[in-house]
Structure formats: C-alpha cells, structure tokens
C-alpha cells in the first residue's frame, strides 16, 4: 500500500469503502465483479498505461496506486510524474502490470479519483496563473463533496492554491445569518471573542461594517461581493491591521483585478464545486 496520507483523513478506509461500494459488498449477490469474473481467467495478467488526454495539473496518482494494490498487493506500479506538475496531452502518468481481474475491478475507482482531483488541480492552476500576483493567495472554500473534502483540498494545494479553514471547527466564520441573529457585526464578533475563539473571520459587505468588526476583535475580514474600487477602499481602511480576503463574483475574468486591490487572499468556491474532470485514460494490454 502506498505511504500517501493526509492528516484527519482515513485513507485506507476510503480505498476499502470505495471499492466495496463498486463491488456491492453486503448486497444480495454483491461482493464481486461479475463481468471480470465471468470473462477474464483468474490467472490472466495485464499491463497498463494511464495517460493524460489534455494538458492537466496532476493530482491523485498515489491514491490510484492504492486502489490497484488493495486488490493485487504484488502489482508492479510505476508513477511516472510527480504530484502537482503540469503535463502535456499524451503524457504517460503511470505504468502497471499484474492480475488482470484486479486491474479491471479497480480501474473505475482509480480513474474517477485521479480525474476528479486532477480536474481540481488544473482549474486551480488556471486561477493562480490568471491572478499572476505573488502577494495574493488563492484559497478554496467549504464547497466540497461530502466525504471528499480532504482529498479535494489536497488537490487545491497540488494546483498551487492554499486551503481556507478545513471545517466548522478550526475558525469562526461570521456571515450574514450570524450577524442577523446577533443584531450587528460588532456584537457577533464580540460573542465569538468572549467564547474564547482565537481565529475570527468576519464577512462584511459594506464599508461601514469594517470598523465595528475590527473593534470587536475580528482577526480577518472577508470582503464579500465588492467591486475592485470598493475593495481598494476597504483595504486602505483596514490599513494592514488584519488580513483581508476578497470573495464572491470571482472567476477567471475578474480574479486579476480583484487580487490587484491589495487584498491578502482571494477565495473561490468553484475550485472544488465546479471543476470538470480531467480527461485521463487507462489502456490495458494482455501479457
């Protein structure tokens, strides 16, 4: 099994449960690959090559390796490129040889994962390149597929972005609904501060909310749905007292201008929410 690991993510369980879902373990008649068992001899062997069909940024190859090794621990696997590299169409990513049934059974889980994560990494790289600003950091959000957050945020890092908070536990994020209940920005921030929360990110969508949020103890301001002119005004008003983050309405056409306003961060939900799968293929040859 690959040594790949992510803090807070049970990688072995993910591989096992993903394969179990595809095999229908626990269901009547399940627990097997009907097609492979009926068509492919038990001792048949394949070699295979996984390759890119488009220009992509690579993420997820060690996970694909783990799917194959779960079903054939003796499978010979060679990862041909590093995670996070940009490759041209036709680049070989992985070579493998081993039990043919194991390869065919693991193929879809392996490909789905690499295609999804490489799709995210590829989109992130496009945003980083378009932003073209070493003084501003691209962040993801919590808009992730349930159960895949750690993997998707890993893919963001492979694409050259950084991670926002991992969940609801590692920072307070005060948004409009929290403010609505608390009564105003300052009171919402004060409640979080008085509760002993160390990191308090406060969303503001108006200039007049900035000073009350700062006075109450916000440690970062999320400047939501502001145009570049307003963002510059907000950054000047904050004057470096806390980091600033632009969010909302950010796409490949707008990111450069928003990042150029002086904000420290730009966050984009579509990096994990809407990235298309990378076109990656896997071709087998009988041995």
């Amino acid at each position: 099994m690959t040594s790949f690991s992510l803090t807070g993510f049970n990688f072995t369980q993910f591989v096992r449960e993903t394969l179990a879902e595809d095999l229908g373990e626990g269901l009547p008649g399940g627990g097997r690959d009907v097609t492979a068992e009926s068509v492919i001899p038990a001792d048949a062997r394949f070699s295979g090559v996984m390759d890119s069909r488009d220009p992509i940024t690579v993420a997820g190859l060690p996970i694909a390796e783990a799917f194959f090794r779960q079903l054939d621990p003796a499978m010979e696997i060679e990862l041909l490129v590093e995670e996070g590299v940009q490759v041209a169409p036709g680049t070989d990513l992985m070579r493998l040889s081993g039990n043919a049934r194991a390869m065919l059974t693991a193929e879809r889980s392996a490909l789905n994962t690499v295609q999804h994560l490489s799709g995210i990494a590829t989109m992130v790289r496009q945003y980083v390149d378009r932003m073209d600003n070493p003084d501003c950091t691209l962040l993801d959000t919590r808009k992730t597929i349930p159960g895949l957050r750690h993997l998707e945020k890993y893919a963001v890092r492979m694409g050259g972005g950084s991670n926002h908070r991992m969940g609801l536990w590692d920072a307070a994020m005060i948004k409009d609904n929290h403010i609505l209940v608390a009564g105003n920005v300052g009171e919402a921030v004060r409640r979080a501060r008085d509760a002993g929360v160390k990191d308090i990110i406060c969303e503001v969508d108006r200039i007049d909310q900035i000073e009350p949020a700062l006075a109450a103890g916000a440690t970062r301001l999320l400047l939501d749905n502001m145009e570049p002119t307003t963002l510059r005004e907000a950054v000047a008003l904050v004057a470096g007292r806390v980091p600033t983050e632009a969010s909302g309405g950010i796409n490949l056409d707008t990111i450069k201008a928003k990042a150029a306003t002086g904000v420290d961060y730009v966050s984009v939900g579509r990096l994990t929410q809407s990235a298309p799968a990378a076109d990656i293929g896997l071709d087998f040859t009988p041995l």
Side-chain angles (χ1 to χ4, degrees):
M1 181 69 71
T2 177
S3 60
F4 179 87
S5 65
L6 294 172
T7 301
F9 181 71
N10 192 326
F11 176 59
T12 302
Q13 180 179 333
F14 168 74
V15 170
R16 184 174 60 249
E17 291 184 351
T18 300
L19 289 170
E21 176 185 57
D22 213 13
L23 289 166
E25 290 185 6
L27 299 176
R32 64 195 184 110
D33 179 345
V34 175
T35 313
E37 286 186 8
S38 61
V39 175
I40 306 298
D43 60 352
R45 294 178 59 80
F46 275 176
S47 65
V49 177
M50 182 184 293
D51 67 339
S52 63
R53 307 291 169 84
D54 287 327
I56 65 170
T57 299
V58 178
L61 291 181
I63 307 167
E65 176 185 358
F67 281 118
F68 291 113
R69 291 201 186 281
Q70 180 72 19
L71 299 181
D72 179 6
M75 191 172 295
E76 298 177 12
I77 301 176
E78 182 182 7
L79 305 186
L80 303 175
V81 300
E82 297 290 331
E83 294 283 278
V85 302
Q86 296 174 272
V87 301
T91 300
D92 290 346
L93 309 177
M94 174 190 292
R95 291 196 189 99
L96 57 164
S97 62
N99 181 269
R101 285 186 181 179
M103 283 192 188
L104 291 170
T105 299
E107 174 188 14
R108 190 71 268 156
S109 295
L111 272 179
N112 284 350
T113 302
V114 177
Q115 288 173 333
H116 181 53
L117 299 188
S118 294
I120 291 171
T122 299
M123 177 178 277
V124 170
R125 176 51 60 187
Q126 291 170 346
Y127 271 77
V128 170
D129 290 345
R130 188 68 63 88
M131 185 169 68
D132 189 26
N133 189 333
D135 297 322
C136 187
T137 300
L138 177 66
L139 298 177
D140 54 22
T141 71
R142 286 173 50 243
K143 295 178 180 178
T144 55
I145 295 175
L148 296 183
R149 178 168 298 171
H150 285 274
L151 291 181
E152 292 177 341
K153 283 180 171 282
Y154 163 77
V156 168
R157 298 194 299 274
M158 292 303 98
S162 296
N163 299 144
H164 212 297
R165 58 179 184 156
M166 290 299 294
L168 296 171
W169 56 273
D170 53 344
M173 170 90 72
I174 296 172
K175 306 191 79 172
D176 52 0
N177 286 327
H178 304 102
I179 295 167
L180 179 65
V181 173
N184 58 66
V185 166
E187 178 61 21
V189 174
R190 274 191 294 272
R191 291 182 184 183
R193 181 198 64 196
D194 292 347
V197 179
K198 179 180 178 182
D199 297 318
I200 304 174
I201 306 166
C202 184
E203 177 185 275
V204 299
D205 53 21
R206 303 193 317 269
I207 291 295
D208 65 350
Q209 294 175 314
I210 291 176
E211 285 300 342
L214 293 177
T219 60
R220 183 194 298 184
L221 292 186
L222 192 158
L223 309 172
D224 190 44
N225 283 305
M226 293 183 180
E227 293 302 315
T229 300
T230 308
L231 283 172
R232 287 192 182 89
E233 182 182 353
V235 169
L237 183 60
V238 173
R241 287 177 283 176
V242 298
T244 53
E245 172 187 341
S247 70
I250 297 172
N251 53 45
L252 286 172
D253 294 327
T254 61
I255 190 169
K256 186 176 181 68
K258 293 201 173 188
T261 61
V263 293
D264 300 288
Y265 303 101
V266 173
S267 56
V268 181
R270 71 183 61 210
L271 300 177
T272 51
Q273 186 185 49
S274 305
D279 190 358
I280 296 170
L282 179 54
D283 296 316
F284 293 123
T285 302
L287 292 175

